[in-house]
Structure formats: C-alpha cells, structure tokens
Amino acid sequence: MASGAGAARRNNLSIGGEQAEADPLLMEAFYESDDYSTIADREDARCFLIARTGSGKSAVLQRLEEDNSERVVRIAPEDLSLNYITNLGVMRFLDDLEVSLDPLFIALWKHVLLVELIRHRYKVDSHTAKTNFLATLRDKIKRDPGKRAALDYLEEFQDRFWVEADERVREITEKFEEKINKEAKGTLSLTGNSTASASATVSGGSADTFSTETRRELSERFQRIVNETQMARLNKMLRVLDEDILESRQNFTFVVIDDLDRDWVDEKLANSLVRCLFRAVLDLQRVRNLKIIVALRTNIFENLDFGHRSGGQEEKFRSLALHMRWSPGELRELINDRLRVASSKRGVAVSSIGEVFPRTNATRGDAFDYMLQRTLMRPRDIIAFVNETFTATGGERVSWEDIKTAEDSYSHKRLLALRDEWKMSYPDIDRVFAVFSGSTIPMSQEEFTRRIDDAALLLADPYFRGSDWLDWMTAAMWNNSAGSWADWYGPLVTLLYNIGFIGCVTGRQASVRYVRTFPEYAERTSNLEATTGYTIHPTFQAALDIRVDGSRYGADIRRTP
C-alpha cells in the first residue's frame, strides 16, 4: 500500500464513539475487564455498578445483554413515570410534613420488578396469557395456603397486568393519592380547618399553612397509610418468585437498570426513589436465580443518605457496590483492541498503538503514557484523545506535534464535559474553573488561596447561578469563624479535588495526589493542612492555558494520573 493512501485512511480513522449508545465498535472491540466478569458472575453478589460518567457502565450492561439475550430484563427509568411521581403534589405535601415515603417507594420498586420478571418468564402480553400463567402457577402452589393468598395480589390487576409498567405505577400511585386525600378530608374537618377540609385534596396544598399540632397529627395519620403499602402479599409473592417462578437454574434472569442519573424534577425525592430501589434489590437477593444490576454515577451514590434512612444497612449496600476503576494497562489493551478492529475496517492493519504513535525516547517518554496522564483514567477520555490525534495527523505516523495539536481541542472538550457532569448539582461550576485560567503550577497555598477567594467573589455577581452551593461552601470564609485554613477553604477545595479538577502536592518529594489513586485524601483536615501546593489536573491544563514551572516541583516530582 502506498504511504499516501495509508496516511489518508489513518487520518480518517476513529476507534469508536465516546458513549456506549453511539459506539459502533462496542461489541466487536469490547474489552472484557475484571469488572465485567464480576457483574456477569451469577454467584458474585455485587450488583451496584458505581462509576463516574464515561467509565463504561452502560457498555458493560449492553455487553451483558448481548451475551445473555434471553436472560436479561432491562428496565428503563424513563418508562416508569418516576418524574410523574416526584412531581406529584401529594408527594411534595407529604415530604413537607416529613412523612417517610420509603415504604411506598420500596413497594413500587418491588411491584415493578416482580411484574416485569413474570412478564418475561411467561411471555404475559394478553388476557389469555395472563389467565394461563395464573392457572399454571395456581396448580403448582395449590398445597400452600400462604402462596395461594399471595396470588390474590396479582388477581387485583385483572386485565391490566400486561399493560406498560408506567401505567401500573401510575395506577398504584393514584390509588395511594386517593387514600391520602380521603384521610386528609377527615382529619382536617376534625381540626376545624373548614377551608382545607372543603378542598378535599392535599395535592396542591402546602403543609406550611398548618399549626404545629395539626402538622404532627397529619404526619402520624399519613405515615400509617404509607406504612401499609409494605404490602404483605407482595412480599409473599417474592417467595413464590424464588420457589415457583425462577425455581431452576435454567430460569436464571438478570435485571438491568441504567440511566438513573437523568434530569429529575425534584432531586430530593429522586434520591429517595433511588435509595429505595437499593433497598428493594437487597430484599430480592433472597431469590436465588436472580441478579438485579443497578448502574449509578458515583456522586449520586454518595448522596443517597444511607446512614440516615436505610435502617442500619449502609454497610450492606456498600459491600454490594462495585466501583469501576481502570488501570493504565487495561486502557492500553482497550485502545489496542479498538485500533485492531477499526483499522481492519479501513484496510489498514494496525495491531497496537505503538505502530502509529511516536516511538518512546528518553526525552519525551512514552506517547501513550503522556496521553493517559491527561485523562481521568476513563475509557471515554482516552478514546476521545486518540480520535483527536488521528484527526490532527497528516503523516504515516502520529507525531508529537499532532498530539500537542490534538490536546488543545481535547482539553477544551473535557473541561466542558466536566462542567456537564456536575452542573446539575453545582450550577455554573465552570465559572469556578475559569478563575484558575492562566495559573502557573504548582501553586503555593497563598497563590491557590487567592484563586479560591476570587471564586468566592462570584457570589457578588447577580448572574451567577450557583449561589446556593457556593454560599454554603464558603460560609466559613464570609463569617470570619474561628478555625484553620482547612476549616475556611476545605469544603470548596474538597469539591474541586473530588471531581478531579485539582491535585494536592505533598511531601518533600512534591508528590501530586489525585482523587483516582487517593479517593479519600481531601476528606481529612490533616491532609489539607499538610498539603504544600496545588495543581490543575493535566487533562484541563491546555484548556485553561496553565503554565508549568518544573523548578517548583523539585527534582523528584512524582505525578500520578
């Protein structure tokens, strides 16, 4: 093949999309990591797949579905009317009264999971199919009175059993709303609140209009109604599921739930819904031939407030969590696999990244290692960077100049991606990133403090949309409260560290610590007090025009990506 032809084809080469749903190479060049093997292992109890965006959660679940096409039930949150639930007036009203909605939400999840498993197992898609299924099951359990009573739960759905899941969720929720409104009417009439009782509904009301005594009485009465939704017959059906529906290994089923990090109307109620899903999954682990896998972003998992409302089960939840992390060797193999498949499709045989990237030399080192250091060690990052270099190259091999050219575009896109990843929780966080533009790193504590002070001054800008979170994180600075530097600046520093934007320089050898390898570092005040300097993660340095002063690091700088 002529050199020019090879270069032209390589110039247009792509090793795949950054998102699983838009990745043409996902199945052909899938890298079977240890994390995938764990999730696919029917005997491994770990079922909560926790990772940051871009780490490959969705890819793992899609591959699992591909490898077990007849054994996977996928439940899409957008098909369950969850936004409808969290935006319902009665839910907001009960939340204002501090009524725990957990029993209702747990029951809803169990109901959805149970019915979807039955539909999958028996292909229930019509009245006839439902009738046949119930007859078969009733015959199997006819000698067990407890199980026969459990079937009454399914009978309640009559001809609506096979309708879409969102319709069943809405039906249960609407019946619950009717109970609450009926109870509210009677309770409010007893309190003498004629205006409220006449309305006969709490759906659009506010709990703030009631006296403390009325609030307490309403809360107690409504809590009893919520607690009744534990649904004893529903829990008995789980025994039927284990012993009579998924009774054999031949009926082993995976349930996959992804995309729980989509935009929600009410974040607080949404977190309750997700936490209750985890509770339901924990209860369903008693079903031997079932594995429910829930994928969730790290920041949402950490905000689920397990300790406060999980009934002392936080340790169980965390023991069942698999935190996805990639090693440099795994990412290299992933890129090599993709490069082999992508190049063969273009008629250019390339077996490894070393064949097309600059050769390792004593001055610049290994090109791929250089690129990895400018990622957050996620597949999405390195795929994007490699694709950028192929776009930039004009020769037979990628040059260092091509990599530097690609880095500018790549870094800007990664900074935007970091903003997008966190903007729901921290609106306008990109404006905090911008205050570090033009910095020389490593920054001393004094230099870094000046930048943090500039970030705090964003509160004076009426157009800044992050006032709520930034005010909370800088409250100690504004109040002149007693304490150390870490007490004043710690909350904002910890945030920037935990999302991967900054690193902490520490020790005589000026080692740089980043969240990937030291995830708990910024959580301890003593560590922040021992930090001698700060740096911006290499991923974002080009985008922010960061200047590196090597002499500031010392002779033995050790940078860990």
Side-chain angles (χ1 to χ4, degrees):
M1 177 183 298
S3 175
R9 293 186 182 184
R10 195 159 296 158
N11 179 262
N12 296 319
L13 189 62
S14 169
I15 59 169
E18 297 173 27
Q19 297 180 338
E21 56 269 25
D23 185 359
L25 300 183
L26 178 61
M27 294 305 158
E28 291 182 82
F30 182 81
Y31 178 79
E32 192 167 311
S33 65
D34 289 342
D35 289 338
Y36 174 77
S37 299
T38 298
I39 287 298
D41 187 343
R42 300 178 186 184
E43 305 301 328
D44 197 306
R46 285 172 288 182
C47 56
F48 303 132
L49 188 59
I50 312 300
R52 289 187 60 172
T53 180
S55 297
K57 300 186 301 297
S58 296
V60 163
L61 297 183
Q62 285 191 33
R63 179 63 177 214
L64 180 73
E65 196 167 5
E66 180 79 10
D67 289 346
N68 302 272
S69 58
E70 299 300 318
R71 298 182 181 275
V72 174
V73 177
R74 180 177 282 271
I75 296 178
E78 62 264 29
D79 294 338
L80 297 180
S81 296
L82 299 186
N83 255 334
Y84 163 79
I85 296 172
T86 59
N87 199 34
L88 206 59
V90 68
M91 300 300 179
R92 295 173 179 270
F93 179 83
L94 294 176
D95 189 54
D96 286 344
L97 285 175
E98 298 184 352
V99 173
S100 173
L101 294 167
D102 285 12
L104 171 66
F105 292 162
I106 292 170
L108 277 173
W109 280 116
K110 286 182 178 179
H111 169 78
V112 167
L113 291 164
L114 174 65
V115 174
E116 290 304 308
L117 283 164
I118 290 173
R119 279 164 50 96
H120 178 266
R121 169 74 173 83
Y122 293 99
K123 306 298 185 287
V124 179
D125 56 4
S126 67
H127 175 76
T128 300
K130 181 228 175 184
T131 301
N132 291 340
F133 148 68
L134 287 175
T136 301
L137 192 57
R138 187 174 287 108
D139 185 63
K140 290 177 69 173
I141 65 176
K142 60 186 177 183
R143 291 185 174 83
D144 190 320
K147 290 182 179 180
R148 290 203 308 270
L151 278 188
D152 293 340
Y153 173 77
L154 298 182
E155 290 281 14
E156 290 181 4
F157 291 92
Q158 301 179 10
D159 294 341
R160 299 180 304 281
F161 189 85
W162 59 84
V163 299
E164 294 302 322
D166 68 318
E167 293 185 42
R168 293 194 299 273
V169 169
R170 283 175 181 259
E171 181 181 9
I172 293 175
T173 306
E174 287 167 1
K175 287 182 177 179
F176 171 76
E177 186 178 21
E178 290 174 6
K179 289 182 180 179
I180 292 294
N181 284 326
K182 182 178 180 180
E183 182 68 23
K185 183 177 181 180
T187 304
L188 294 175
S189 63
L190 291 175
T191 65
N193 192 328
S194 58
T195 302
S197 61
S199 69
T201 178
V202 300
S203 297
S206 171
D208 294 336
T209 62
F210 302 118
S211 66
T212 302
E213 183 178 351
T214 300
R215 285 174 60 93
R216 183 171 60 251
E217 184 176 357
L218 287 171
S219 178
E220 291 173 355
R221 285 177 175 261
F222 294 150
Q223 190 66 66
R224 284 196 294 271
I225 294 176
V226 174
N227 292 344
E228 289 172 0
T229 59
Q230 288 280 10
M231 301 182 186
R233 289 177 300 174
L234 174 58
N235 287 325
K236 288 180 181 178
M237 273 301 303
L238 299 186
R239 181 182 162 210
V240 176
L241 179 67
D242 179 38
E243 299 176 2
D244 303 288
I245 297 176
L246 300 179
E247 75 280 11
S248 73
R249 207 62 175 167
Q250 290 181 331
N251 297 325
F252 190 96
T253 305
F254 292 99
V255 175
V256 167
I257 304 176
D258 195 6
D259 294 329
L260 284 164
D261 53 356
R262 299 292 175 89
D263 295 349
W264 296 82
V265 172
D266 187 304
E267 186 174 347
K268 181 181 177 184
L269 285 174
N271 281 345
S272 294
L273 268 171
V274 176
R275 186 183 65 251
C276 290
L277 168 60
F278 278 48
R279 293 274 299 275
V281 171
L282 197 62
D283 287 348
L284 280 160
Q285 285 216 315
R286 73 184 75 167
V287 181
R288 290 161 294 181
N289 294 311
L290 173 67
K291 185 169 185 177
I292 304 172
I293 303 165
V294 181
L296 198 64
R297 267 180 27 197
T298 302
N299 61 308
I300 298 177
F301 178 74
E302 296 299 336
N303 289 331
L304 290 183
D305 193 18
F306 289 126
H308 179 58
R309 291 188 174 181
S310 64
Q313 295 180 312
E314 180 176 8
E315 185 177 346
K316 290 183 181 179
F317 292 129
R318 295 192 179 278
S319 69
L320 295 174
L322 175 64
H323 294 269
M324 289 187 70
R325 294 189 176 92
W326 292 80
S327 70
E330 287 176 323
L331 289 174
R332 185 182 288 268
E333 282 303 309
L334 179 146
I335 296 301
N336 284 340
D337 288 349
R338 286 174 167 270
L339 189 56
R340 281 192 287 270
V341 174
S343 62
S344 66
K345 290 178 176 293
R346 295 298 184 98
V348 183
V350 179
S351 60
S352 73
I353 200 78
E355 294 180 23
V356 291
F357 273 60
R359 295 180 178 85
T360 301
N361 60 59
T363 303
R364 286 176 159 173
D366 182 278
F368 191 73
D369 286 345
Y370 173 90
M371 294 173 68
L372 276 182
Q373 288 180 355
R374 282 147 184 80
T375 73
L376 298 182
M377 298 301 289
R378 303 177 297 189
R380 182 175 297 178
D381 296 341
I382 191 61
I383 289 172
F385 203 169
V386 171
N387 281 338
E388 290 283 355
T389 63
F390 286 144
T391 300
T393 189
E396 184 68 14
R397 295 180 67 94
V398 175
S399 67
W400 276 103
E401 288 69 25
D402 295 331
I403 293 174
K404 295 298 290 183
T405 298
E407 185 177 350
D408 287 338
S409 175
Y410 159 80
S411 182
H412 278 90
K413 291 175 182 177
R414 288 302 93 198
L415 189 61
L416 291 175
L418 188 69
R419 176 204 65 186
D420 292 342
E421 182 179 357
W422 298 99
K423 67 182 180 182
M424 289 301 296
S425 299
Y426 307 104
D428 273 356
I429 193 171
D430 53 313
R431 295 190 60 185
V432 175
F433 301 156
V435 303
F436 294 93
S437 181
S439 304
T440 299
I441 58 171
M443 289 174 273
S444 66
Q445 188 179 81
E446 291 74 21
E447 291 175 290
F448 184 72
T449 300
R450 284 195 291 272
R451 301 280 178 169
I452 293 292
D453 286 340
D454 288 343
L457 289 175
L458 288 169
L459 290 170
D461 185 344
Y463 297 102
F464 180 67
R465 295 173 295 177
S467 297
D468 289 344
W469 67 267
L470 188 59
D471 181 59
W472 177 83
M473 288 193 169
T474 59
M477 297 164 52
W478 295 111
N479 296 335
N480 291 320
S481 55
S484 65
W485 183 93
D487 295 323
W488 281 32
Y489 294 95
L492 188 52
V493 173
T494 300
L495 169 65
L496 296 176
Y497 179 88
N498 285 343
I499 67 176
F501 181 69
I502 64 170
C504 295
V505 182
T506 184
R508 293 181 179 179
Q509 295 179 327
S511 299
V512 182
R513 302 198 173 195
Y514 293 110
V515 68
R516 190 189 76 86
T517 44
F518 300 94
E520 307 295 330
Y521 181 82
E523 303 295 335
R524 298 181 60 180
T525 299
S526 59
N527 286 339
L528 294 181
E529 291 175 345
T531 298
T532 57
Y534 294 86
T535 186
I536 305 300
H537 195 283
T539 303
F540 314 110
Q541 289 178 11
L544 293 170
D545 193 26
I546 301 299
R547 298 168 178 81
V548 180
D549 185 347
S551 64
R552 295 191 183 188
Y553 281 107
D556 190 26
I557 177 63
R558 297 178 181 179
R559 281 171 271 185
T560 305

